[in-house]
Amino acid sequence: SKKVSTILQDSQVQFDLDPLLENSVDIRQLLNNSTQVNDATLVNIILGEKTADPVTGVPFIELQPAQDSVLPTFKEFDFMTNQEQTSKISEAGWSASEGEEYSTCDIESIVNSPSQSEHDVTSSTLTPPTSPFEIVRGRPGRKPSAAGPLRPNRKKQPPKGTEEYVDKRVRNNLAVRKSRDKAKKKQQETEQRVHELSTENENLQKKLDLLTKELNVLKSLFINVGASLPTKFDEIMSR
Amino acid sequence: SKKVSTILQDSQVQFDLDPLLENSVDIRQLLNNSTQVNDATLVNIILGEKTADPVTGVPFIELQPAQDSVLPTFKEFDFMTNQEQTSKISEAGWSASEGEEYSTCDIESIVNSPSQSEHDVTSSTLTPPTSPFEIVRGRPGRKPSAAGPLRPNRKKQPPKGTEEYVDKRVRNNLAVRKSRDKAKKKQQETEQRVHELSTENENLQKKLDLLTKELNVLKSLFINVGASLPTKFDEIMSR
DNA sequence: ACATATTGCGCAATGT
DNA sequence: GACATTGCGCAATATG
């Protein structure tokens, strides 16, 4: 099994299709196929309008589901979600760090570790030639609390390309937007609250200053009248 | 000028290439071209190995910059990042809302704007047939302010796979983390400030209540002593 | 033009 | 199981 880096460097062609998707089309197979690919066929294949001759029923090209055995394991792409992840790399670095709270991705361990499967480049997918400059991504998703995940064994995400997956993603995206709107709203309200409280504080302070002044004046007046009243005053106030 | 929705509805085919990308290839033009497209040509075009016969120098297919009239303007995909966006759709819906805070990608302006470069097939790509389960993503990136982008024509991101790109991404990721940490910190401080101000407010209110009570008592005492003092009081307070 | 800072958005893991 | 949170990256934009 080849090293990832070797595979990447050896790769001279563009890999653009997702091997994991049944809907992916093996371009190489298409190109190498002896079948004459005419324009109409191309339209049907590329645009996905038809897979076989509507009259004869003969498939334009026999498209096999991508074989797992030839899947590149170090690149993952989902055309359904239009998201790409170098997930193998990430997961590699991820699982590598056992004791760490927040895992880091050790590029070396990835490159030097043997391929995790029998995959080779003859897969039905195309990826862009990987440059020597890789972006190392961290493990995706929320970080577990210090005590670790509460439910370590949870149902996996449904496989990409399924209706279930898309449904889940759509719902989650809605939830995320909602949650962030809420957070943003809360933030604004909090700042607004600060403003209100500050204003209120100022007003209270002004009132307080005024009352204090009045009180002092009154007290001084009392002193002018006689010392006996303050005693009664304290007495009254203590009730 | 057509309404966005109309354009979308009229469209019977899937558009998978980004007309705005320099690397996009006009599939329709390719397919409709009378030139016979053989396998070798396809290899060269699709895999971007050659754009012309190495011997004769004759272009395999004269690829014009994508014609706006047939541009798939509502689909965007970038194979380098393996990121796909149905950005035209999003941008369409995006621009469709006129009164919205975030406006306004005018679909017409996109369609009518001249191609931004001398596209070639060097990076031409194919997309898989679109599956029925499609996640519609919005236009990526920050939304322009209501007035529109301040600097519409800005240097593009460096091409992916280059050291420059990775450097930029890494720095941006750092900046993003920093910015979010800052925002989070600010949020916490704001909430803390609310707490402090609330406490302070309560204390001020208590003081105020007490002083008011005292003042009322003193005034009532004054009334018991005689009515002449309040006059002096007002006189003094007015100074 | 360049660099950093912000921000909307999606993914996926985790929380509730 | 459903929905809510959250760390993270991308890319477009904003701000120096």
Side-chain angles (χ1 to χ4, degrees):
Chain A
S1 63
K2 275 186 173 181
K3 296 285 175 58
V4 167
S5 56
T6 309
I7 294 176
L8 295 180
Q9 286 168 6
D10 285 350
S11 179
Q12 295 299 319
V13 294
Q14 305 267 345
F15 295 101
D16 286 318
L17 297 181
D18 177 14
L20 301 180
L21 284 183
E22 300 190 300
N23 293 325
S24 61
V25 174
D26 190 336
I27 293 294
R28 295 199 187 193
Q29 179 185 350
L30 190 157
L31 296 177
N32 293 328
N33 200 302
S34 58
T35 304
Q36 176 60 51
V37 182
N38 58 30
D39 293 350
T41 305
L42 269 180
V43 172
N44 287 320
I45 293 174
I46 296 175
L47 299 184
E49 293 174 353
K50 301 187 192 66
T51 59
D53 187 303
V55 180
T56 65
V58 174
F60 289 128
I61 290 184
E62 288 258 337
L63 289 178
Q64 315 267 337
Q67 295 300 315
D68 275 354
S69 57
V70 292
L71 292 184
T73 53
F74 51 88
K75 206 81 177 184
E76 188 174 301
F77 183 78
D78 185 2
F79 277 109
M80 295 303 300
T81 61
N82 303 328
Q83 283 286 112
E84 183 244 25
Q85 309 123 14
T86 51
S87 58
K88 292 299 178 304
I89 290 179
S90 293
E91 290 183 353
W94 188 39
S95 55
S97 60
E98 197 63 341
E100 282 187 340
E101 182 179 358
Y102 293 153
S103 56
T104 46
C105 182
D106 180 8
I107 190 69
E108 283 301 322
S109 65
I110 296 169
V111 170
N112 295 327
S113 66
S115 281
Q116 308 205 341
S117 68
E118 314 305 319
H119 311 314
D120 65 37
V121 252
T122 61
S123 84
S124 62
T125 61
L126 301 175
T127 39
T130 304
S131 84
F133 314 112
E134 270 282 346
I135 291 186
V136 179
R137 302 188 67 176
R139 166 191 164 285
R142 185 176 183 168
K143 304 228 177 311
S145 47
L150 297 185
R151 284 132 84 181
N153 26 5
R154 185 187 290 210
K155 188 183 168 189
K156 278 188 176 182
Q157 275 222 343
K160 307 171 186 185
T162 60
E163 188 173 19
E164 186 189 357
Y165 173 78
V166 173
D167 276 1
K168 185 170 182 178
R169 290 279 358 114
V170 167
R171 270 199 304 267
N172 179 246
N173 290 341
L174 288 176
V176 166
R177 220 172 309 175
K178 183 179 174 185
S179 181
R180 286 182 179 141
D181 285 346
K182 180 181 170 186
K184 212 171 297 177
K185 188 180 173 187
K186 179 189 169 190
Q187 160 75 27
Q188 292 175 341
E189 287 175 349
T190 305
E191 289 179 9
Q192 178 62 28
R193 187 89 186 103
V194 166
H195 194 263
E196 292 172 357
L197 285 175
S198 295
T199 306
E200 194 178 333
N201 250 0
E202 280 183 31
N203 291 335
L204 286 177
Q205 192 60 57
K206 283 179 186 172
K207 282 187 186 175
L208 208 51
D209 288 345
L210 184 60
L211 281 192
T212 302
K213 192 179 173 186
E214 286 189 17
L215 208 55
N216 285 335
V217 171
L218 278 185
K219 283 183 179 175
S220 69
L221 286 182
F222 266 95
I223 293 176
N224 288 340
V225 172
S228 63
L229 291 181
T231 305
K232 276 191 180 175
F233 171 74
D234 290 338
E235 189 183 314
I236 294 174
M237 290 304 295
S238 64
R239 288 189 273 191
Chain B
S1 67
K2 272 187 175 179
K3 293 289 171 52
V4 168
S5 55
T6 309
I7 294 178
L8 295 180
Q9 287 167 6
D10 286 349
S11 179
Q12 295 301 316
V13 295
Q14 300 278 340
F15 295 102
D16 288 315
L17 296 181
D18 177 15
L20 300 179
L21 287 181
E22 302 187 67
N23 296 324
S24 64
V25 174
D26 189 335
I27 290 292
R28 293 199 189 187
Q29 180 185 351
L30 191 155
L31 297 177
N32 293 328
N33 200 300
S34 59
T35 305
Q36 175 60 55
V37 183
N38 59 29
D39 292 350
T41 306
L42 271 179
V43 171
N44 287 320
I45 292 175
I46 296 175
L47 299 185
E49 292 174 352
K50 301 187 194 67
T51 60
D53 188 301
V55 180
T56 65
V58 175
F60 288 129
I61 291 184
E62 287 259 337
L63 287 179
Q64 313 271 332
Q67 292 302 312
D68 292 319
S69 54
V70 293
L71 282 188
T73 52
F74 49 87
K75 204 85 175 184
E76 188 174 301
F77 185 79
D78 185 357
F79 279 112
M80 290 308 297
T81 59
N82 300 329
Q83 290 274 70
E84 186 240 25
Q85 309 123 19
T86 50
S87 59
K88 289 306 173 302
I89 289 178
S90 292
E91 289 182 356
W94 199 36
S95 62
S97 56
E98 196 63 338
E100 282 190 340
E101 180 180 358
Y102 294 149
S103 64
T104 58
C105 180
D106 183 359
I107 189 71
E108 284 300 322
S109 67
I110 294 174
V111 170
N112 295 327
S113 66
S115 279
Q116 309 207 340
S117 72
E118 314 301 322
H119 311 298
D120 62 41
V121 268
T122 310
S123 322
S124 69
T125 54
L126 280 185
T127 46
T130 305
S131 128
F133 313 115
E134 178 81 40
I135 292 185
V136 178
R137 302 189 65 179
R139 165 190 165 290
R142 186 176 181 167
K143 303 224 177 311
S145 45
L150 298 184
R151 283 127 86 177
N153 22 7
R154 181 183 296 210
K155 187 185 169 191
K156 282 188 176 182
Q157 276 223 344
K160 304 163 189 191
T162 62
E163 187 173 20
E164 186 190 359
Y165 172 78
V166 174
D167 277 0
K168 187 171 181 177
R169 289 281 358 116
V170 168
R171 269 199 301 268
N172 180 247
N173 290 342
L174 288 176
V176 166
R177 217 172 310 175
K178 183 180 173 184
S179 180
R180 287 181 179 145
D181 285 346
K182 181 181 170 186
K184 212 170 298 177
K185 189 180 173 186
K186 180 191 168 191
Q187 161 73 23
Q188 292 175 342
E189 287 175 350
T190 306
E191 288 180 9
Q192 177 62 29
R193 186 88 187 102
V194 166
H195 193 265
E196 291 171 358
L197 284 175
S198 295
T199 306
E200 194 178 333
N201 251 0
E202 279 184 34
N203 291 335
L204 285 177
Q205 192 61 57
K206 283 180 187 172
K207 282 186 186 176
L208 206 53
D209 289 346
L210 184 60
L211 281 192
T212 302
K213 192 179 176 185
E214 285 190 16
L215 207 56
N216 286 336
V217 171
L218 279 185
K219 284 182 179 177
S220 68
L221 287 181
F222 263 95
I223 291 176
N224 290 340
V225 171
S228 62
L229 293 180
T231 305
K232 274 189 179 176
F233 171 73
D234 289 339
E235 189 183 312
I236 295 174
M237 288 304 294
S238 63
R239 288 190 276 194

